[in-house]
Amino acid sequence: MLDKDTFPRDKICGDAISGKSVDVLRELGLLDLVVRDESLGSWGVTFSGPSGDVAAIPFSKFMDAPVAPGFVSRREVFDDILFRVAGEAGAEIWQNADVSGIVRREDGTVEGVTVAREGGEPQIVKAPLVVGADGAYSVVARDLGMEQLSEKHYCAGLRAYYEGVTGFHPKNFIEIHFVDESIPGYFWIFPMPNGRANVGIGMLSAAVKKRKVKLKPLLDQLVDHPRFKERFANAKRIGPVKGWGLPLGSKPRPMAGDGWMLVGDAASLIDPFTGEGIGNAMVSGWRAGEWAARAIEANRFDKAFLTDYESEVLDRLRNELRLSHMMQRLGNWKWLLDTVIRKASRSEELADLISCMFDDLDERRRLVSPLFYLRVLKA
Ligand SMILES: Cc1cc2nc3c(=O)[nH]c(=O)nc-3n(C[C@H](O)[C@H](O)[C@H](O)COP(=O)(O)OP(=O)(O)OC[C@H]3O[C@@H](n4cnc5c(N)ncnc54)[C@H](O)[C@@H]3O)c2cc1C
């Protein structure tokens, strides 16, 4: 395992660990480690619409469960848990090891990578299978000739940590706010352990460019917005505002070939509506691990064999990603957002339905059906 950073390391993120990640952690027997460590259980989502209506949607199905259905955990903490577990499971780890490119055989198949260890001279590391898990600016994907993602499938995100933000839901709901100034993106405020909060904004890069949005001043503007000002009255920002890219799963990249696989952001798997990428990175990483083991057993590292890894991940994620892409486009319709959030703030039935949609893809499908909106409008 080669990583250019040294753990524990930060990763610019909203730090919200959704139910999908919780499922993978449970499957791998790691959930207890995360729950025990520095994390805050979250039991719902609060949405607010452009007109200021607020709908608090509990994950009702899990209200009595012993473990929260989602968490907020600093990536410095969360990633380090997974990193340590990998080491304990026997992975040979090189930290401070900067991969600068892939190495190919004469026939074009991948043979390994070039890596500079601790600032030293680049050396070649050979491997029958290279798994590119190197994030949004993946060197492995670039060297495989994957095109730079277009602005329609890429999001820009900023995050800052605060302490002293008030007014959170007692069950630590994460908050997603659609404010005129932030649409077609959203402003988030996520409660964290120790009275801190992760505050940020994400917007499709095409919209940032078209509207010439400056995200950092916009973040300051939102913190100072009449809707949030009071909650930030005694809050203090800790550290700088930091930005990073989000490659969206509205256009996933090829995930397997002769001697290689891609996972997570390197494969462009972030949910195009919510901006969640940890869950999909974990699903793909988990499946890639299984397929790497199968490949070693079968001594097959060719595209024909590994392509089933890609099919397996896409079978799991394809519908969800398509749906989220449609919802991303619906998110441009301010009045629709407003109407749904306003009605959900007043109707327990609708709030319940939306709550089911977090968990149930079939229910979520209703969100792109005109009939759903007709019913909402009539309600
Ligand atoms: C502002 C922002 C907010 C977000 N909020 C959320 C959220 O709240 N919830 C959520 O689920 N998702 C969120 N995401 C998305 C989420 O952060 C990513 O989808 C997730 O981190 C992807 O995991 P990954 O392992 O694929 O990549 P990463 O987490 O980026 O890990 C890549 C690793 O590769 C290493 N690496 C990179 N290049 C090299 C190289 N050349 N050589 C060696 N090592 C290298 C890095 O050091 C790093 O350790 C957010 C993203 C942003 C930008």
Side-chain angles (χ1 to χ4, degrees):
M1 201 165 101
L2 314 173
D3 201 293
K4 72 172 173 189
D5 230 315
T6 310
F7 284 73
R9 60 106 178 90
D10 184 23
K11 153 75 178 85
I12 300 160
C13 187
D15 301 329
I17 319 278
S18 68
K20 196 188 288 169
S21 306
V22 170
D23 287 346
V24 178
L25 288 168
R26 191 177 281 119
E27 193 73 37
L28 297 175
L30 303 177
L31 188 56
D32 281 353
L33 284 176
V34 177
V35 177
R36 254 188 269 131
D37 230 303
E38 196 194 308
S39 69
L40 188 74
S42 173
W43 304 81
V45 187
T46 297
F47 292 100
S48 79
S51 305
D53 290 293
V54 178
I57 316 273
F59 300 132
S60 352
K61 207 174 117 188
F62 300 93
M63 272 326 193
D64 299 321
V67 177
F71 293 88
V72 183
S73 173
R74 274 188 307 130
R75 296 289 298 274
E76 199 174 336
V77 174
F78 179 73
D79 290 19
D80 194 48
I81 294 174
L82 302 185
F83 173 78
R84 274 185 280 135
V85 168
E88 283 158 19
E92 181 186 348
I93 297 171
W94 291 7
Q95 301 191 64
N96 204 350
D98 195 350
V99 173
S100 55
I102 55 172
V103 180
R104 292 177 188 270
R105 296 184 191 86
E106 269 181 13
D107 65 2
T109 55
V110 172
E111 188 179 23
V113 291
T114 308
V115 55
R117 200 174 181 186
E118 291 172 4
E121 286 297 308
Q123 56 179 298
I124 291 174
V125 174
K126 290 189 180 174
L129 183 59
V130 170
V131 182
D134 48 345
Y137 306 101
S138 169
V139 165
V140 176
R142 183 204 63 198
D143 261 21
L144 286 166
M146 311 271 172
E147 57 179 24
Q148 194 65 28
L149 287 166
S150 89
E151 287 143 355
K152 285 186 195 153
H153 304 285
Y154 209 84
C155 194
L158 286 187
R159 100 85 238 244
Y161 289 127
Y162 278 82
E163 61 187 6
V165 182
T166 54
F168 284 112
H169 189 281
K171 291 288 233 175
N172 307 323
F173 286 16
I174 59 169
E175 297 177 19
I176 291 181
H177 302 286
F178 297 98
V179 188
D180 273 341
E181 293 83 339
S182 73
I183 292 174
Y186 67 76
F187 173 54
W188 74 78
I189 311 176
F190 296 164
M192 296 175 67
N194 307 322
R196 294 191 172 185
N198 184 316
V199 178
I201 180 168
M203 195 183 281
L204 198 66
S205 297
V208 172
K209 190 173 167 193
K210 190 171 164 204
R211 298 168 195 209
K212 299 190 174 60
V213 181
K214 298 267 179 276
L215 285 177
K216 194 169 174 298
L218 178 57
L219 186 65
D220 291 337
Q221 196 185 334
L222 291 170
V223 163
D224 209 29
H225 192 280
R227 266 163 66 186
F228 309 105
K229 206 178 173 143
E230 212 176 299
R231 298 181 57 193
F232 282 88
N234 296 311
K236 201 174 96 202
R237 198 170 77 208
I238 315 159
V241 177
K242 291 187 179 175
W244 200 253
L246 293 90
L248 302 179
S250 43
K251 197 177 178 192
R253 285 174 160 153
M255 276 177 241
D258 288 319
W260 61 269
M261 292 194 279
L262 291 180
V263 307
D265 282 10
S268 191
L269 287 178
I270 295 183
D271 186 291
F273 183 62
T274 63
E276 286 175 57
I278 302 171
N280 292 351
M282 292 195 70
V283 166
S284 57
W286 173 39
R287 300 324 304 152
E290 296 261 353
W291 274 96
R294 282 181 210 170
I296 290 168
E297 207 178 296
N299 198 23
R300 291 270 313 265
F301 304 99
D302 54 294
K303 184 175 176 177
F305 185 80
L306 295 172
T307 216
D308 282 351
Y309 152 68
E310 175 171 325
S311 312
E312 203 173 292
V313 173
L314 286 181
D315 284 351
R316 167 80 169 81
L317 303 179
R318 188 187 287 111
N319 288 345
E320 203 177 305
L321 291 173
R322 279 194 189 144
L323 193 61
S324 285
H325 190 204
M326 283 191 251
M327 283 163 63
Q328 178 205 74
R329 284 175 278 189
L330 286 182
N332 283 322
W333 297 14
K334 266 192 234 172
W335 67 269
L336 196 66
L337 274 174
D338 235 355
T339 310
V340 175
I341 292 172
R342 188 171 56 250
K343 301 261 176 176
S345 72
R346 289 165 201 175
S347 153
E348 218 171 288
E349 197 187 335
L350 182 58
D352 254 4
L353 176 65
I354 295 176
S355 177
C356 292
M357 286 173 175
F358 286 108
D359 206 43
D360 185 332
L361 195 59
D362 287 329
E363 289 291 344
R364 213 180 307 161
R365 248 179 223 120
R366 293 209 220 174
L367 275 178
V368 290
S369 148
L371 271 179
F372 171 78
Y373 294 98
L374 272 179
R375 276 196 207 116
V376 169
L377 289 171
K378 275 174 67 185

